[in-house]
Amino acid sequence: MKVTFKVCFCCVRSFKVKSSDPPQEIKTFFDDYSQNGRMSVDEMLRFVIQVQGETHADLNYVKDIFNMLKHHGVFHPRGLHLEEFYRYLLSDFNSPLPLSGEVWQDMSQPLSHYFLYTGHNSYLTGNQLNSRSSTEPIVKALRRGVRVIELDLWPNSSGTEAEVRHGGTLTSSEDLQKCLNAVKENAFEVSDYPVVLTLEDHLPPDLQKKVAKMVSKTFGGALFRCRDEYKERFPSPEALKNKILISTKPPKEYLQTQISQGATTAESLKAEELIQDEDEKTVAVEYRDLISIHAGNRKGGLKNCLNGDPNRVIRLSMSEQWLETLAKSRGPDIVKFTQRNILRIFPKTTRFDSSNYDPLVGWIHGAQMVAFNMQSHGKFLWMMQGMFKANGGCGYVKKPDVLLSNGLRGENFDPYSRHLQIKTTLKVKIYNGEGWNMDFSQDHFDRYSPPDFYAKVGIAGIPLDTISYRTETDTDEWFPVWDEEFEFPLRVPELALLCITVKDHDKNTPNDFAGKTCLPLSEIRPGIRAVRLHDHVGDVFKHARLLVRFVLEPR
């Protein structure tokens, strides 16, 4: 088969297109696990157990593979031919992640023991300055598995109602009731585990009272109301199934922040009296009673914000910049704080374009709510999407033990330590890829020739584990063959993501994006796997995929 490209009115260039042939190592595996050119059910079972590491597989599992191939018209009753075996390896049945999509982690621990899929300014459709506010991004986020939705509440122009908008900008506003309805109608479409609604509240007490009634009426029995038993310890995701939690700053603390900043001792005493009076007479008690995750004040600045309260758990918010500053000198203290309390990280205010930051900085310190602009795109959002493919895509991923317990000497985990020992080595062999010729037009990558694909393979994790490599470029090929292996020695594999990106190499212009994926290392199934690629926003391509072998030593 040939493809032709017009160079000018009278000239064309022709290129021979080769099909996606099995790599030599795949042919060798087939020969080792077959007889007379056919692989029987028993031989396939032996391959699945010994090479793919699926030690719990049985004959029924293999028969399902055979039936899948029969459905796709590549099946022979006497066993699989090489081409049929190759089609199995490249099929969705052979995913690197578990096929069941089941929640398998222990979900009975406090909320502080989990990473939560968290959104930032969840109502914005675009940038932070003048984009439209809408319920659409809220619905989209929840249907992607996001579990934490953020709404900014401000008085409307007349001061009579609360509305959702990004204050101090030219972004439009959205009706609060519509936003609450969007949460109610879509909260549990993907996952039964709780949705947290974080309210960034800029309301006077009379509007807080109105919001309280609106929230109570909208969510009804699905609204979780915190009891005294949870003041010192958050409830678990399992106990909160199909519940909606409100997280914001209690009215009294909001007033205290507004009044006491910069006050003298006498002024502070007077402020306390005013606060008490306001709390009794005008502050909406109904609003305060809605809050099940209390947002605390960052009292004491960088020096004292991580002290915590032994009698109460809170949610503390800080910007990505503040986190980076604290992490340089107090990393283990952050880890200790997040063992009981919830830490929310949000993008710095100068990210006007709704870009995102490196989520690993938060995760490796135990931060549960790493808040992201879901309407954006780019490598950091891909990492976020990759992390929450874990645990059945339920939006909750249990933090590894290294973040939840003290070490042998009683110290907390330090992700920047230079003395962490290697636990395992991951070997990643990129054989080849296919499917771009069906997902893209002939001249999408290069106007006058087939694409020149290369793959970039890397680990995102703690600093000592973070590294990346790239294959050679296979020129003028729709079906690139690389056959290259890379090794990754890992110290904290529990916090590692494997990221693979494919690009078309161009000499004089930026390289064209051709697909990516990020996979949580803790869930990757060893063996030879079909890795499907995704587009810029995270939607999976219909055909583009890679054939990759994963080996973990020790397993």
Side-chain angles (χ1 to χ4, degrees), residues 375-388:
Q375 74 275 25
S376 184
H377 57 78
K379 68 175 183 178
F380 293 139
L381 185 58
W382 303 342
M383 290 162 59
M384 175 69 66
Q385 293 166 345
M387 165 66 87
F388 289 100

Side-chain angles (χ1 to χ4, degrees), residues 529-547:
R529 302 293 174 183
V531 176
R532 297 191 67 178
L533 298 176
H534 299 70
D535 64 15
H536 272 294
V537 298
D539 294 329
V540 67
F541 286 126
K542 189 173 182 180
H543 300 99
R545 64 193 64 205
L546 305 174
L547 189 65

Side-chain angles (χ1 to χ4, degrees), residues 140-212:
K140 187 174 182 180
L142 289 168
R143 289 180 175 269
R144 279 188 177 271
V146 172
R147 297 288 87 191
V148 183
I149 297 294
E150 181 191 35
L151 301 178
D152 286 302
L153 306 184
W154 293 82
N156 64 5
S157 57
S158 63
T160 57
E161 300 290 340
E163 64 183 11
V164 176
R165 59 183 168 89
H166 195 204
T169 69
L170 298 177
T171 57
S172 65
S173 62
E174 181 56 284
D175 181 73
L176 173 58
Q177 185 63 63
K178 289 182 179 179
C179 293
L180 296 179
N181 289 343
V183 173
K184 177 185 177 181
E185 293 164 8
N186 297 276
F188 307 110
E189 287 293 314
V190 172
S191 170
D192 291 337
Y193 288 99
V195 166
V196 179
L197 195 56
T198 59
L199 303 178
E200 292 300 314
D201 174 7
H202 306 274
L203 303 174
D206 61 323
L207 291 187
Q208 288 180 338
K209 190 170 185 177
K210 281 190 175 183
V211 169

Side-chain angles (χ1 to χ4, degrees), residues 11 153 291 309 452 496 521:
C11 298
L153 306 184
I291 303 170
D309 184 340
D452 308 316
L521 189 65

Side-chain angles (χ1 to χ4, degrees), residues 231-245:
K231 286 186 177 179
E232 296 182 20
R233 175 185 171 97
F234 288 114
S236 70
E238 189 67 32
L240 295 169
K241 273 189 172 181
N242 296 300
K243 291 293 185 180
I244 293 172
L245 287 70

Side-chain angles (χ1 to χ4, degrees), residues 40-191:
S40 68
V41 171
D42 289 334
E43 288 163 337
M44 171 64 90
L45 178 60
R46 190 162 57 91
F47 171 82
V48 165
I49 292 174
Q50 295 179 357
V51 178
Q52 304 293 77
E54 298 176 44
T55 55
H56 300 293
D58 56 17
L59 286 175
N60 288 329
Y61 177 82
V62 175
K63 288 177 181 177
D64 286 342
I65 297 175
F66 276 50
N67 289 334
M68 177 271 297
L69 294 170
K70 184 177 181 180
H71 178 73
H72 286 82
V74 286
F75 175 78
H76 194 282
R78 290 185 297 166
L80 302 182
H81 189 271
L82 173 61
E83 179 59 28
E84 297 159 357
F85 174 66
Y86 184 47
R87 285 300 104 197
Y88 145 69
L89 291 176
L90 279 168
S91 71
D92 293 341
F93 197 94
N94 192 37
S95 167
L97 299 183
L99 295 174
S100 64
E102 294 180 354
V103 174
W104 61 271
Q105 295 178 347
D106 177 10
M107 304 298 286
S108 64
Q109 301 299 309
L111 283 179
S112 56
H113 289 198
Y114 300 84
F115 298 123
L116 284 68
Y117 203 173
T118 302
H120 174 254
N121 290 351
S122 303
Y123 51 89
L124 286 182
T125 57
N127 66 59
Q128 306 286 311
L129 293 177
N130 59 7
S131 67
R132 182 171 60 94
S133 297
S134 169
T135 61
E136 295 168 11
I138 297 173
V139 173
K140 187 174 182 180
L142 289 168
R143 289 180 175 269
R144 279 188 177 271
V146 172
R147 297 288 87 191
V148 183
I149 297 294
E150 181 191 35
L151 301 178
D152 286 302
L153 306 184
W154 293 82
N156 64 5
S157 57
S158 63
T160 57
E161 300 290 340
E163 64 183 11
V164 176
R165 59 183 168 89
H166 195 204
T169 69
L170 298 177
T171 57
S172 65
S173 62
E174 181 56 284
D175 181 73
L176 173 58
Q177 185 63 63
K178 289 182 179 179
C179 293
L180 296 179
N181 289 343
V183 173
K184 177 185 177 181
E185 293 164 8
N186 297 276
F188 307 110
E189 287 293 314
V190 172
S191 170

